[in-house]
Amino acid sequence: MIEGREKMQQIWYKRNVFRTAFVAVLLAAIEIFIGNEGWVACHTLRLTYVPFRVNAARYIVYLAILGAVFFWVPIRRFLKNLDVRFSSKCNVGTLTCERTDYTKLFVILCLTFGLFFVFLTPPFNAPDEAGHFEQSYYVAHGQLLPQVDAQGNVYGMIDQGYEHFRATWPGGVFDTNKKASYNDILLTLQYKADTTPVKIPYRYYFYPFILYAPQAIGINVGHLLFYLFRMVHDYNTFQQMIFARLFNLLFFLVITACALKMIPVFKRTLLLLAMMPMTVFIVASCSADAFIYSISFLAVAYILRLAYSPDVRVIGKREFTCLSLLCGLLLLSKEIYVLLFLLCLLIPKEKFRGIKRKLLVLVSSAVVGGALFGIWYLALKMSTKGMTPGSYYAWGAQGMEMVRSEALQTHFVLTHPLRYIAILYNDIVTQGGYLSSFIGRFGWLDTIVPSAFTVLYAMLLLLSALIEKIDIRLAKWQRLLWFLVLIAVVALVQTSQYIMWTPHPDIGGLADVGGIQILGVQGRYFIPIALSALFLLANRFTAQFGTLGRVNAWFGRVTGALVVVSLNVSILYIALRYWVN
């Protein structure tokens, strides 16, 4: 028996040594690539020399982490005994956050505050809202695909009243000292509907029409209501925009509520993401991002349900159909986010009745989803036959210049992969504005809430993910899968903006081809993958420690109040920015 105990101690010692060595390597990488990003950048991108800095405080923290990792078993036993002294199982059981109906709470909060954002935000003062409204108008009037004129320009037809509306609200209130005017609102309400068709560039021709289906339905519902009350001649562009915003918000509300209903874990964290000020601001506009956010949330929630819910025992025809549809919708949303479909690998093979059937079902779902995307892509190519390259950006020489700059930037990325990886690393590590535009940066990214507010909400998200109670044990390969999907999506988002936006003629032009900065990336682009990132923090400590269970229960009870406070602060800043002199 003594020999067996000694053997177990040797195994425990070796396992701890390997675990500690792995963490030491990880901390060394953090110290080099994050703690000394300037030193790395000066060697990889040939920038001004920056010396390697040694921070004594960080090294003390690293030593403390290594000590905790090596002695984790006795530390955990000590914490368990301490927890028993201050918390009993019966008390913990009577105080749980399961009483909170997060779906109902989300519907109430989203509808209430979403309506504030719909009517409080001036027209065209959400990012790219003018282009998104144009697309919504096209779809509402049956223009599902762009047309090509004799000069090869991609165009769409819109009412003359839209031009009058844009003259009153010329693309947004860009000057932070300029306020929106109530007189302008009254003036736009007095406009009569001018249905004279006007030809304008079809700017977002590469966005599938399904992204604008909610807004288009809203525009047509508004037209029907005005027709029933015999006021159809008063249904101008301003009212169309309001109805488009309302139905965009309702679509996000319904789909995200379904995601909250079906997700087996992380309900509170999903609620905090869905009610994040930036999320609500975007979905209360005409932006297609509302569709992208809601479908991404739904896809992750459904995959987690199939993987971890005890109610799903076998993957049948219904699940196969849903997976195929979600894969197609992710592709149609933005091709980058289809990588979330790889999370289907988390579903246990037992639910497929074997590994071969699992691979067959997942591959078949991907093929069917890809076929849905292929049908739309083929229709788009047929409708834009004879198109002049770049005319979807701008007619004439500017559009051609943009296509040329994209081609040169793509060539640079393909021929200088190591340098581009260094550019990616430098941008991710040194860019400080992503968190602000992820949580709350309104208008045309010119209405900024205090940094303390942004940091506090980020801490709420992290705390929720860390202490939310789950009874799931994630294997190392599963966490690695979550991490790889996250890194791949982030890299592709960065690359798309580096190719399409950084060398834009109005920004850097050909001078920025091969530049060391990535322009155009906003934190809101990472909202669809934020739930996947936070799931990396999932652990079973709350289920094992009663004290954490009590903290989790308390957090669940005040979640609604925290969301209300954050959205009220956001509404205050928007009101001060646009309406209060």
Side-chain angles (χ1 to χ4, degrees):
M1 187 165 179
I2 297 177
E3 292 179 357
R5 184 180 300 174
E6 291 178 351
K7 189 174 182 180
M8 289 296 296
Q9 288 179 347
Q10 291 177 359
I11 294 174
W12 172 82
Y13 179 78
K14 290 180 180 179
R15 186 178 297 174
N16 277 4
V17 167
F18 284 123
R19 185 185 295 131
T20 307
F22 173 78
V23 173
V25 172
L26 184 62
L27 292 176
I30 292 174
E31 173 63 22
I32 295 172
F33 293 104
I34 298 180
N36 286 275
E37 72 280 355
W39 179 80
V40 176
C42 78
H43 285 79
T44 56
L45 299 176
R46 299 176 183 176
L47 302 179
T48 305
Y49 178 74
V50 176
F52 190 93
R53 298 175 180 176
V54 177
N55 189 310
R58 282 207 302 265
Y59 281 83
I60 293 174
V61 173
Y62 295 156
L63 288 174
I65 293 174
L66 291 175
V69 170
F70 186 81
F71 296 104
W72 173 240
V73 173
I75 290 175
R76 184 175 180 176
R77 189 181 299 117
F78 171 76
L79 292 175
K80 197 80 173 178
N81 293 334
L82 196 64
D83 178 65
V84 171
R85 291 181 59 186
F86 291 99
S87 175
S88 61
K89 293 183 179 180
C90 59
N91 290 334
V92 174
T94 59
L95 183 62
T96 64
C97 58
E98 293 175 358
R99 299 176 184 177
T100 305
D101 188 342
Y102 289 111
T103 305
K104 183 178 180 180
L105 179 62
F106 166 75
V107 170
I108 294 173
L109 293 176
C110 186
L111 191 59
T112 303
F113 288 96
L115 290 175
F116 273 103
F117 281 97
V118 165
F119 292 101
L120 194 62
T121 307
F124 307 131
N125 273 273
D128 304 316
E129 188 173 27
H132 289 300
F133 175 74
E134 292 169 9
Q135 296 293 117
S136 305
Y137 180 92
Y138 297 149
V139 176
H141 291 77
Q143 302 177 53
L144 304 183
L145 294 167
Q147 305 174 61
V148 180
D149 62 14
Q151 289 75 37
N153 296 321
V154 179
Y155 72 93
M157 304 300 295
I158 201 167
D159 288 350
Q160 181 70 42
Y162 175 73
E163 297 296 321
H164 298 317
F165 188 54
R166 285 298 302 272
T168 306
W169 301 92
V173 186
F174 292 105
D175 185 358
T176 55
N177 296 318
K178 182 180 178 182
K179 304 295 182 179
S181 170
Y182 294 103
N183 292 329
D184 290 339
I185 294 291
L186 294 175
L187 182 62
T188 54
L189 288 172
Q190 294 172 6
Y191 282 152
K192 297 295 181 182
D194 186 352
T195 57
T196 306
V198 178
K199 184 169 71 172
I200 63 174
Y202 204 105
R203 285 195 278 180
Y204 297 152
Y205 94 106
F206 43 83
Y207 275 14
F209 60 85
I210 193 172
L211 272 64
Y212 300 96
Q215 302 93 308
I217 292 172
I219 292 173
N220 286 322
V221 168
H223 188 276
L224 178 62
L225 291 175
F226 274 74
Y227 175 79
L228 292 175
F229 288 96
R230 298 184 180 182
M231 300 171 60
V232 69
H233 296 294
D234 297 322
Y235 188 49
N236 58 33
T237 305
F238 179 70
Q239 281 102 349
Q240 292 179 30
M241 173 171 283
I242 293 299
F243 275 96
R245 286 180 172 184
L246 284 172
F247 274 74
N248 207 26
L249 174 67
L250 288 175
F251 176 82
F252 174 80
L253 186 150
V254 171
I255 299 300
T256 307
C258 292
L260 274 166
K261 195 73 175 177
M262 70 173 59
I263 192 170
V265 293
F266 262 48
K267 289 181 182 287
R268 183 183 61 225
T269 305
L270 177 55
L271 170 71
L272 289 172
L273 273 176
M275 292 307 300
M276 193 164 59
M278 193 66 186
T279 308
V280 181
F281 175 74
I282 292 296
V283 303
S285 70
C286 295
S287 176
D289 288 348
F291 187 96
I292 298 171
Y293 295 168
S294 53
I295 294 301
S296 300
F297 291 158
L298 182 66
V300 175
Y302 188 68
I303 292 172
L304 287 175
R305 179 177 179 271
L306 296 183
Y308 301 122
S309 175
D311 298 332
V312 181
R313 298 180 180 179
V314 178
I315 305 299
K317 294 181 180 179
R318 183 176 61 182
E319 289 76 16
F320 169 76
T321 303
C322 292
L323 286 174
S324 302
L325 185 60
L326 284 173
C327 180
L329 290 175
L330 285 172
L331 276 169
L332 291 171
S333 298
K334 274 186 180 178
E335 298 90 331
I336 293 172
Y337 300 124
V338 76
L339 291 176
L340 291 172
F341 190 73
L342 292 175
L343 298 177
C344 290
L345 295 173
L346 297 171
I347 305 174
K349 62 181 180 181
E350 290 77 15
K351 293 190 176 183
F352 292 91
R353 299 200 181 105
I355 185 66
K356 291 184 178 179
R357 190 170 181 272
K358 176 179 178 178
L359 294 177
L360 178 63
V361 170
L362 295 183
V363 171
S364 301
S365 300
V367 169
V368 174
L372 294 174
F373 177 80
I375 292 171
W376 170 81
Y377 187 76
L378 181 61
L380 177 66
K381 285 298 181 182
M382 292 176 64
S383 69
T384 56
K385 189 176 181 180
M387 174 187 68
T388 301
S391 64
Y392 44 87
Y393 287 126
W395 293 345
Q398 185 182 12
M400 295 291 291
E401 180 74 3
M402 294 182 73
V403 172
R404 183 184 173 211
S405 63
E406 286 182 8
L408 291 173
Q409 193 79 307
T410 304
H411 181 265
F412 170 80
V413 172
L414 295 176
T415 54
H416 300 81
L418 295 180
R419 181 171 176 80
Y420 179 63
I421 291 173
I423 293 171
L424 267 179
Y425 155 78
N426 184 63
D427 183 80
I428 293 172
V429 174
T430 61
Q431 179 57 253
Y434 290 163
L435 183 62
S436 175
S437 57
F438 174 78
I439 289 176
R441 197 166 187 170
F442 311 117
W444 280 85
L445 306 182
D446 56 4
T447 305
I448 307 173
V449 296
S451 300
F453 172 86
T454 301
V455 172
L456 284 174
Y457 203 95
M459 291 174 64
L460 280 179
L461 287 171
L462 294 174
L463 179 63
S464 177
L466 282 169
I467 69 172
E468 189 152 2
K469 183 178 179 180
I470 64 171
D471 294 323
I472 302 167
R473 182 179 178 85
L474 292 177
K476 293 178 181 178
W477 72 267
Q478 292 177 324
R479 291 189 185 274
L480 180 62
L481 177 63
W482 284 96
F483 179 74
L484 291 177
V485 168
L486 174 66
I487 292 298
V489 173
V490 170
L492 288 175
V493 168
Q494 303 281 94
T495 303
S496 67
Q497 295 303 298
Y498 188 69
I499 291 174
M500 298 178 64
W501 187 253
T502 302
H504 194 290
D506 292 338
I507 300 177
L510 297 180
D512 264 351
V513 171
I516 63 172
Q517 283 188 308
I518 300 178
L519 305 176
V521 181
Q522 301 172 27
R524 62 189 178 94
Y525 298 160
F526 304 117
I527 292 177
I529 60 168
L531 185 62
S532 303
L534 291 170
F535 203 78
L536 283 169
L537 303 177
N539 59 79
R540 297 192 300 167
F541 289 154
T542 301
Q544 296 172 351
F545 291 91
T547 305
L548 282 179
R550 296 177 68 86
V551 174
N552 180 51
W554 174 83
F555 194 6
R557 290 187 171 188
V558 300
T559 297
L562 295 173
V563 170
V564 168
V565 171
S566 66
L567 290 174
N568 275 314
V569 170
S570 304
I571 289 173
L572 174 63
Y573 272 84
I574 291 176
L576 292 173
R577 165 65 178 86
Y578 291 112
W579 301 104
V580 179
N581 291 318

PDB file of all heavy atoms in Angstrom, residues 22 130 195 203 324 333 437 472 503 542:
ATOM      1  N   PHE A  22       4.235  23.965 -18.852  1.00  0.00           N
ATOM      2  CA  PHE A  22       3.377  24.487 -19.922  1.00  0.00           C
ATOM      3  C   PHE A  22       2.931  25.916 -19.607  1.00  0.00           C
ATOM      4  O   PHE A  22       2.975  26.807 -20.460  1.00  0.00           O
ATOM      5  CB  PHE A  22       2.163  23.577 -20.101  1.00  0.00           C
ATOM      6  CG  PHE A  22       1.143  24.116 -21.066  1.00  0.00           C
ATOM      7  CD1 PHE A  22       1.350  24.030 -22.434  1.00  0.00           C
ATOM      8  CD2 PHE A  22      -0.018  24.729 -20.596  1.00  0.00           C
ATOM      9  CE1 PHE A  22       0.417  24.534 -23.322  1.00  0.00           C
ATOM     10  CE2 PHE A  22      -0.956  25.221 -21.471  1.00  0.00           C
ATOM     11  CZ  PHE A  22      -0.741  25.130 -22.844  1.00  0.00           C
ATOM     12  N   ALA A 130     -27.099  54.860 -44.186  1.00  0.00           N
ATOM     13  CA  ALA A 130     -27.642  55.290 -45.477  1.00  0.00           C
ATOM     14  C   ALA A 130     -27.605  54.144 -46.485  1.00  0.00           C
ATOM     15  O   ALA A 130     -28.600  53.853 -47.162  1.00  0.00           O
ATOM     16  CB  ALA A 130     -26.869  56.498 -45.999  1.00  0.00           C
ATOM     17  N   THR A 195     -42.584  59.458 -55.512  1.00  0.00           N
ATOM     18  CA  THR A 195     -42.230  58.118 -56.007  1.00  0.00           C
ATOM     19  C   THR A 195     -41.547  58.142 -57.361  1.00  0.00           C
ATOM     20  O   THR A 195     -41.410  57.104 -58.006  1.00  0.00           O
ATOM     21  CB  THR A 195     -43.486  57.243 -56.085  1.00  0.00           C
ATOM     22  OG1 THR A 195     -44.456  57.885 -56.937  1.00  0.00           O
ATOM     23  CG2 THR A 195     -44.086  57.027 -54.702  1.00  0.00           C
ATOM     24  N   ARG A 203     -24.731  50.027 -53.698  1.00  0.00           N
ATOM     25  CA  ARG A 203     -23.457  50.035 -52.961  1.00  0.00           C
ATOM     26  C   ARG A 203     -23.092  48.692 -52.343  1.00  0.00           C
ATOM     27  O   ARG A 203     -21.940  48.274 -52.377  1.00  0.00           O
ATOM     28  CB  ARG A 203     -23.510  51.114 -51.874  1.00  0.00           C
ATOM     29  CG  ARG A 203     -23.374  52.501 -52.429  1.00  0.00           C
ATOM     30  CD  ARG A 203     -23.061  53.495 -51.346  1.00  0.00           C
ATOM     31  NE  ARG A 203     -24.245  53.943 -50.630  1.00  0.00           N
ATOM     32  CZ  ARG A 203     -24.197  54.829 -49.636  1.00  0.00           C
ATOM     33  NH1 ARG A 203     -23.044  55.308 -49.240  1.00  0.00           N
ATOM     34  NH2 ARG A 203     -25.303  55.211 -49.026  1.00  0.00           N
ATOM     35  N   SER A 324     -28.150  22.477 -41.306  1.00  0.00           N
ATOM     36  CA  SER A 324     -27.940  22.887 -42.699  1.00  0.00           C
ATOM     37  C   SER A 324     -28.404  24.318 -42.917  1.00  0.00           C
ATOM     38  O   SER A 324     -27.715  25.120 -43.569  1.00  0.00           O
ATOM     39  CB  SER A 324     -28.684  21.940 -43.641  1.00  0.00           C
ATOM     40  OG  SER A 324     -28.257  20.602 -43.469  1.00  0.00           O
ATOM     41  N   SER A 333     -24.856  35.516 -44.106  1.00  0.00           N
ATOM     42  CA  SER A 333     -24.632  36.681 -43.243  1.00  0.00           C
ATOM     43  C   SER A 333     -23.302  37.327 -43.596  1.00  0.00           C
ATOM     44  O   SER A 333     -23.245  38.451 -44.085  1.00  0.00           O
ATOM     45  CB  SER A 333     -24.641  36.260 -41.773  1.00  0.00           C
ATOM     46  OG  SER A 333     -25.889  35.727 -41.414  1.00  0.00           O
ATOM     47  N   SER A 437     -15.387  50.507 -29.165  1.00  0.00           N
ATOM     48  CA  SER A 437     -16.380  50.319 -30.237  1.00  0.00           C
ATOM     49  C   SER A 437     -17.064  48.962 -30.157  1.00  0.00           C
ATOM     50  O   SER A 437     -17.995  48.695 -30.907  1.00  0.00           O
ATOM     51  CB  SER A 437     -15.717  50.488 -31.609  1.00  0.00           C
ATOM     52  OG  SER A 437     -14.634  49.589 -31.777  1.00  0.00           O
ATOM     53  N   ILE A 472     -20.694  21.267 -16.956  1.00  0.00           N
ATOM     54  CA  ILE A 472     -20.044  20.676 -18.130  1.00  0.00           C
ATOM     55  C   ILE A 472     -18.534  20.711 -17.928  1.00  0.00           C
ATOM     56  O   ILE A 472     -17.985  21.731 -17.521  1.00  0.00           O
ATOM     57  CB  ILE A 472     -20.416  21.451 -19.409  1.00  0.00           C
ATOM     58  CG1 ILE A 472     -21.931  21.459 -19.617  1.00  0.00           C
ATOM     59  CG2 ILE A 472     -19.704  20.877 -20.616  1.00  0.00           C
ATOM     60  CD1 ILE A 472     -22.377  22.442 -20.665  1.00  0.00           C
ATOM     61  N   PRO A 503      -6.425  50.360 -48.021  1.00  0.00           N
ATOM     62  CA  PRO A 503      -5.947  51.114 -49.184  1.00  0.00           C
ATOM     63  C   PRO A 503      -7.051  51.889 -49.908  1.00  0.00           C
ATOM     64  O   PRO A 503      -6.930  52.188 -51.095  1.00  0.00           O
ATOM     65  CB  PRO A 503      -5.388  50.002 -50.083  1.00  0.00           C
ATOM     66  CG  PRO A 503      -6.279  48.848 -49.819  1.00  0.00           C
ATOM     67  CD  PRO A 503      -6.678  48.949 -48.360  1.00  0.00           C
ATOM     68  N   THR A 542     -18.098  27.224  -9.729  1.00  0.00           N
ATOM     69  CA  THR A 542     -19.329  27.665  -9.070  1.00  0.00           C
ATOM     70  C   THR A 542     -20.151  26.473  -8.594  1.00  0.00           C
ATOM     71  O   THR A 542     -20.795  26.525  -7.544  1.00  0.00           O
ATOM     72  CB  THR A 542     -20.159  28.537 -10.026  1.00  0.00           C
ATOM     73  OG1 THR A 542     -19.375  29.665 -10.416  1.00  0.00           O
ATOM     74  CG2 THR A 542     -21.437  29.028  -9.367  1.00  0.00           C
TER      75      THR A 542
END
